[in-house]
């Protein structure tokens, strides 16, 4: 099972948000980056095609043997589902229709959510904005694991289980760390999702519904793409809070691997983040980076000095504004 890791608490820091400072410095030196701060209208058509692809898959698996339903849920459905969560991530930043049409983005996020089977889009947007404003903020940033996760998942076997159960922890962690009142849009997201799930079950049966739900759960758990959850902010090198990944899986994930660039410029769509890196190469080329999310997962499990505690955490000061 491995040895208990040495870390017994988070890495507490008392610095300001590093990405805001770097953003100001980069824009002062490279003002042309401002031209990249515009919607990515191609995102709309990509999302529509992904929804159509999943609907087609729901239809095709309806009469398969259960073993093949499970197989295709992991091999194909999980990839599309995880990719769709990252499309929803893009939409949460208003990348589809722009900041001037914020509600269009919210409705489109609910639409993109449908083939996932579980309501996600609206709540994700509310918490994700906190993650950007208050990275590592104690009691605010729900991307930070709970103390229980850090304490309990402290051996190789337990860390492996923690990776498998990541969808569960991402779902319940906001309720433990920073519960928020339910909004009208979240209720609409829930009702739209339940209605869609019922229609899928009525049209094509239990196998199609299972394929949809299993693909979402498997895709967010023990899956190569899920390496980004750990790669983004877990502190493999002391003092480094955010890491980028420049490997091929960016093609399926709307360039979420360009994570330093994304936190520096959250209003630039993923499509344009490679240009940010190219323009401001002197700021990014020497930062710690990954080329394999699979290796990140392996190293997280096997390195006895890394655990869910391996995160920077901040005690926030002053007024905190949340969505």
């Amino acid at each position: 099972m491995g040895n208990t890791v040495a870390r017994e608490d988070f890495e507490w820091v008392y610095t300001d948000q590093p990405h805001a400072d770097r953003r100001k410095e980069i824009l002062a030196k490279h003002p042309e980056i401002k031209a990249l701060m515009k919607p990515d209208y191609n995102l709309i058509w990509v999302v529509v095609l992904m929804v159509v692809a999943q609907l087609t898959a729901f239809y095709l698996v309806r009469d398969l043997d259960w073993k093949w339903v499970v197989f295709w849920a992991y091999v194909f459905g999980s990839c599309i589902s995880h990719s769709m969560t990252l499309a929803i991530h893009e939409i949460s930043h208003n990348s589809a229709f722009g900041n001037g049409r914020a509600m269009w983005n919210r409705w489109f996020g609910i639409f993109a959510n449908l083939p996932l089977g579980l309501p996600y889009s609206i709540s994700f947007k509310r918490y994700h904005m906190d993650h950007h404003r208050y990275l590592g903020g104690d009691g605010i940033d729900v991307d930070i694991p709970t103390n229980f996760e850090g304490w309990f998942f402290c051996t190789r076997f337990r860390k492996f289980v923690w990776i498998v159960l990541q969808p569960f922890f991402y779902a319940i962690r906001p309720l433990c760390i920073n519960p928020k009142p339910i909004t009208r849009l979240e209720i609409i997201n829930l009702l739209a999702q339940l209605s869609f799930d019922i229609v899928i079950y009525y049209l094509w049966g239990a196998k199609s519904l299972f394929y949809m739900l299993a693909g979402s759960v498997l895709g967010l758990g023990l899956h190569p793409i899920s390496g980004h959850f750990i790669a983004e902010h877990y502190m493999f090198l002391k003092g480094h809070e955010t890491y980028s990944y420049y490997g091929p899986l960016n093609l399926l994930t709307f360039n979420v691997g360009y994570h330093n660039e994304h936190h520096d410029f959250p209003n630039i769509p993923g499509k344009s983040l490679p240009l940010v890196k190219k323009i401001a190469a002197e700021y990014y080329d020497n930062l710690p980076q990954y080329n394999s999310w699979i290796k990140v997962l392996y190293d997280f499990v096997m390195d006895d000095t890394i655990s869910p505690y391996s995160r920077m955490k901040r005690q926030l000061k002053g007024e905190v504004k949340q969505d």
Side-chain angles (χ1 to χ4, degrees):
M1 290 177 61
N3 299 318
T4 302
V5 296
R7 182 175 294 279
E8 296 180 354
D9 195 4
F10 298 102
E11 182 81 12
W12 286 87
V13 294
Y14 302 93
T15 59
D16 292 333
Q17 295 291 326
H19 296 285
D21 294 338
R22 187 160 61 214
R23 176 167 57 250
K24 292 177 183 177
E25 188 175 336
I26 291 175
L27 285 176
K29 189 173 181 180
H30 299 287
E32 65 271 26
I33 285 179
K34 293 179 181 178
L36 303 177
M37 300 176 183
K38 57 185 179 181
D40 174 15
Y41 294 117
N42 288 331
L43 176 63
I44 300 169
W45 305 113
V46 172
V47 167
V48 170
L49 287 174
M50 290 169 70
V51 171
V52 171
Q54 281 293 69
L55 286 172
T56 303
F58 299 161
Y59 174 78
L60 293 174
V61 303
R62 73 195 188 285
D63 294 324
L64 293 181
D65 290 339
W66 278 105
K67 63 181 179 182
W68 290 112
V69 175
V70 174
F71 174 82
W72 287 114
Y74 187 78
V75 172
F76 182 76
S78 63
C79 296
I80 297 292
S81 291
H82 200 136
S83 183
M84 188 63 87
T85 67
L86 294 168
I88 290 171
H89 166 254
E90 287 285 290
I91 296 166
S92 75
H93 286 281
N94 295 333
S95 293
F97 295 98
N99 293 322
R101 293 174 174 173
M103 280 305 299
W104 287 36
N105 289 281
R106 303 293 77 75
W107 294 119
F108 192 57
I110 292 173
F111 168 75
N113 196 152
L114 293 178
L116 296 178
L118 300 168
Y120 163 81
S121 176
I122 299 300
S123 296
F124 171 79
K125 193 267 181 188
R126 298 179 72 197
Y127 284 103
H128 187 64
M129 295 304 102
D130 294 340
H131 171 65
H132 275 275
R133 294 190 191 108
Y134 309 110
L135 179 63
D138 185 31
I140 301 295
D141 185 359
V142 300
D143 193 61
I144 298 286
T146 61
N147 282 311
F148 169 78
E149 291 171 74
W151 167 78
F152 184 78
F153 295 99
C154 59
T155 67
R156 293 178 182 178
F157 176 74
R158 292 182 188 179
K159 287 190 288 181
F160 175 82
V161 171
W162 184 76
I163 290 172
V164 173
L165 297 179
Q166 275 193 105
F168 171 75
F169 288 112
Y170 271 95
I172 67 168
R173 198 182 290 151
L175 304 177
C176 299
I177 294 178
N178 186 18
K180 297 184 178 185
I182 296 175
T183 65
R184 181 179 65 92
L185 277 178
E186 284 175 305
I187 293 173
I188 293 173
N189 193 176
L190 172 63
L191 293 176
Q193 191 63 61
L194 288 175
S195 300
F196 180 82
D197 294 353
I198 291 169
V199 169
I200 294 299
Y201 178 78
Y202 177 79
L203 289 177
W204 298 319
K207 290 179 180 178
S208 295
L209 184 63
F210 174 85
Y211 170 89
M212 173 169 56
L213 296 172
S216 296
V217 173
L218 294 171
L220 297 172
L222 187 63
H223 194 280
I225 298 177
S226 291
H228 81 86
F229 289 133
I230 293 171
E232 290 166 358
H233 297 293
Y234 284 80
M235 196 167 46
F236 282 80
L237 293 175
K238 187 175 177 62
H240 290 277
E241 188 168 11
T242 306
Y243 301 76
S244 287
Y245 156 82
Y246 300 123
L249 288 177
N250 277 307
L251 295 173
L252 298 177
T253 59
F254 302 91
N255 286 329
V256 75
Y258 288 75
H259 217 65
N260 270 299
E261 295 84 348
H262 171 60
H263 270 268
D264 288 351
F265 299 99
N267 55 342
I268 293 180
K271 180 188 73 172
S272 299
L273 292 178
L275 285 175
V276 172
K277 181 180 184 295
K278 182 178 180 180
I279 292 171
E282 69 273 24
Y283 288 92
Y284 297 114
D285 284 353
N286 295 322
L287 292 177
Q289 55 190 252
Y290 301 112
N291 292 307
S292 170
W293 278 335
I294 296 175
K295 188 175 187 302
V296 168
L297 291 172
Y298 177 83
D299 289 345
F300 179 83
V301 171
M302 299 304 294
D303 188 336
D304 292 333
T305 67
I306 304 295
S307 78
Y309 269 143
S310 300
R311 293 289 299 263
M312 285 190 179
K313 202 171 185 181
R314 288 180 171 81
Q315 188 70 49
L316 297 176
K317 301 176 183 179
E319 183 181 2
V320 174
K321 297 180 181 180
Q322 301 184 65
D323 282 357

